Amino acid sequence: MSAHDKLVGAATLKRLRLARGWSLARLARAIIAKAAELGQPLDASLASVQRTVARWETGRGPILPGDRYQLLLAHLYARSADGQTSLGAGSDFAELLDALALLGESERRLGELRTLLVKTATDGGGGLLALLGPSTQLALSTALADPSRLDEGLLAAMSLAVRDVNGQIGSVPFVRVQLLLAPIVESCRRLLGAAVPEPLLPGLQAVAAQAYTLAGRAAFETRDDEASRALYAEATAAAGGIGSPWCRAVVHMSNALVTLYSTPGIEAAQRLVDAAVRDARAGESVTVRARAHALQAEIAARAGAERHARAALALAWYDMDSDRDGDPAPTLFSHAHLRGFEGVTSLYVGDPAEAHDYFARSAEALQAPRERVQRAIVATDQAVARIRLDAPESAAELLHGCIDAASATGGRVASIRLRRARSDLRPWRREDWFAALDDHLIDSFGA
């Protein structure tokens, strides 16, 4: 950070304090009180904390608040002056993160702070409204009362909030994702049933499709299949009105994956994948087309159709290696994800050693918090490959980490795959390491 950036960050911290009518001493008292409330009392006097606060705000070489003070400031500024949790754009909390960034804090640490406060918001029964800034909350309330006042700015803020929730997957359990999404899902339903300005309808349908799809995934992960099916039906209908076939392909693919694990056989999932491929081929996103072909390869491999699976996989690689400049969804799928599909294909209709290497490369690349669930799935499949390579104890060692990840996120697909891997290990059930794995599964999942 430049000296100028640090001065701007210090000025922002001072402005946040003054906007609440706090003196240096009053903010110091608030910090001390918050620390005690969180069960982390500060071993420092009021005068000492006040001097520390002054060093953050000084115009002569301001310093970055330490980790502990950052946490306390985050809790203080996450609540607006009226006591409501507010973490979205325009909130004091968002401005605090901006100030910390200017003072030199890393993106990783700021992401951790944000995730922690999201968890805190859902602990208190809060929802997605906490991720909307005060002005956006007001605009949403106004639009719900008078749908004719819906505008593009509100739609953009709602879309950003849904993406924000999506980014929390892997960092917070799916039950929290449901809590975060509930208000916007209901808001979309009400607005779609009202007379909103006609030019804004496709944008509203796009937000609704995103929210319903994510909510359908979360409902599936928390084992509410009936709600999941209903949400996916709403998502499909909403996506159909956008005018971009790739958007509906995204819904079909998400629906296909949950259907694969909630409906006997693969026929229902196959129909959804075929629909996704048709929409993806008609759409403008090459990335979505690659993902659809990769999923087509997995379904074919599970059915034992090796030639079909290899052909679909080749198409997926062709799409991924194509020119994707201007792609509307470039981050939806990656080479790391595609290697995982290569592994699945080889696991079912090829060489388990080859599958193992594909899974290892995929898991190594899937390191972002948002990819934690996918990494657990890939690593579990890697363990299955080890079992087929007659390395059961090594497979069990890998599965312990997968259990921890699946337990932390509440991922249903990962837990289903874990149980199948455990079943594959039954020939070694008298081994001590098998008993240890069983104990870990019982401790984490209760069975």
Side-chain angles (χ1 to χ4, degrees):
M1 295 295 112
S2 69
H4 174 73
D5 286 340
K6 290 184 177 181
L7 289 176
V8 174
T12 302
L13 289 179
K14 184 175 182 178
R15 179 169 50 77
L16 284 171
R17 173 175 62 80
L18 293 176
R20 297 203 174 197
W22 291 347
S23 64
L24 288 171
R26 186 171 177 184
L27 176 54
R29 284 194 292 272
I31 289 172
I32 292 171
K34 180 58 69 174
E37 178 188 328
L38 296 175
Q40 301 177 17
L42 291 174
D43 185 19
S45 67
L46 175 62
S48 175
V49 176
Q50 183 175 329
R51 287 193 297 271
T52 300
V53 172
R55 287 196 291 270
W56 303 335
E57 299 180 4
T58 181
R60 297 180 179 179
I63 65 171
L64 173 70
D67 287 353
R68 192 175 186 188
Y69 281 115
Q70 287 183 24
L71 175 63
L72 296 171
L73 288 170
H75 278 280
L76 286 174
Y77 286 120
R79 288 193 175 274
S80 58
D82 61 1
Q84 298 298 311
T85 300
S86 182
L87 309 177
S91 66
D92 286 353
F93 177 78
E95 291 201 51
L96 170 66
L97 295 189
D98 288 342
L100 295 176
L102 288 167
L103 286 167
E105 189 51 84
S106 68
E107 286 294 326
R108 180 189 61 79
R109 170 61 180 164
L110 297 177
E112 290 172 351
L113 275 175
R114 184 171 181 75
T115 294
L116 180 60
L117 269 295
V118 168
K119 290 179 179 178
T120 301
T122 52
D123 277 340
L128 182 136
L129 292 179
L131 298 181
L132 300 175
S135 61
T136 305
Q137 291 187 32
L138 177 60
L140 180 58
S141 297
T142 300
L144 289 172
D146 181 2
S148 68
R149 298 181 66 180
L150 179 69
D151 59 36
E152 292 182 353
L154 176 57
L155 290 177
M158 292 168 68
S159 179
L160 180 61
V162 175
R163 290 199 298 272
D164 200 352
V165 177
N166 188 40
Q168 296 298 325
I169 291 178
S171 298
V172 301
F174 281 103
V175 290
R176 296 179 188 267
V177 172
Q178 286 182 299
L179 285 171
L180 288 166
L181 281 172
I184 205 165
V185 165
E186 184 57 30
S187 296
C188 287
R189 285 172 176 158
R190 288 175 57 184
L191 289 170
L192 284 173
V196 301
E198 189 67 26
L200 298 181
L201 185 56
L204 175 59
Q205 290 171 319
V207 174
Q210 294 167 8
Y212 297 160
T213 299
L214 188 55
R217 158 90 184 278
F220 160 79
E221 297 285 4
T222 55
R223 293 166 175 77
D224 190 348
D225 291 339
E226 183 176 352
S228 180
R229 285 191 291 270
L231 283 160
Y232 274 115
E234 289 181 286
T236 302
I242 299 170
S244 298
W246 69 266
C247 294
R248 190 168 59 185
V250 172
V251 177
H252 286 322
M253 286 187 284
S254 181
N255 196 3
L257 285 170
V258 304
T259 299
L260 185 61
Y261 290 94
S262 60
T263 304
I266 64 172
E267 292 79 12
Q270 176 72 69
R271 287 192 293 272
L272 286 165
V273 170
D274 289 344
V277 170
R278 286 194 300 270
D279 278 341
R281 288 176 175 172
E284 60 270 34
S285 174
V286 179
T287 305
V288 168
R289 197 180 312 150
R291 187 180 177 204
H293 283 137
L295 189 53
Q296 188 178 47
E298 175 175 348
I299 296 296
R302 287 175 177 274
E306 180 176 5
R307 184 176 177 182
H308 187 189
R310 298 293 182 189
L313 202 57
L315 287 172
W317 273 112
Y318 176 82
D319 294 329
M320 285 300 292
D321 291 336
S322 299
D323 181 5
R324 292 189 287 155
D325 285 346
D327 193 312
T331 62
L332 197 63
F333 195 61
S334 69
H335 288 82
H337 291 99
L338 184 47
R339 290 190 192 98
F341 282 97
E342 279 189 309
V344 170
T345 300
S346 293
L347 189 66
Y348 281 95
V349 293
D351 179 1
E354 183 180 63
H356 181 275
D357 291 344
Y358 284 136
F359 289 136
R361 291 171 63 193
S362 179
E364 184 179 2
L366 296 169
Q367 294 296 329
R370 174 65 178 79
E371 297 168 334
R372 189 179 184 189
V373 175
Q374 186 62 33
R375 188 173 188 273
I377 293 170
V378 170
T380 302
D381 287 343
Q382 184 184 358
V384 172
R386 289 186 182 183
I387 296 170
R388 296 186 183 183
L389 291 169
D390 200 26
E393 188 170 359
S394 176
E397 291 174 2
L398 187 58
L399 289 173
H400 281 287
C402 301
I403 292 170
D404 290 336
S407 176
T409 61
R412 183 177 176 186
V413 173
S415 65
I416 290 173
R417 275 168 131 111
L418 277 167
R419 294 182 189 282
R420 291 177 180 174
R422 185 261 183 201
S423 180
D424 289 345
L425 287 170
R426 281 188 60 79
W428 296 274
R429 61 186 178 276
R430 300 187 187 281
E431 300 290 342
D432 290 342
W433 52 260
F434 181 92
L437 183 69
D438 248 9
D439 289 343
H440 196 175
L441 276 168
I442 291 171
D443 290 343
S444 299
F445 297 104

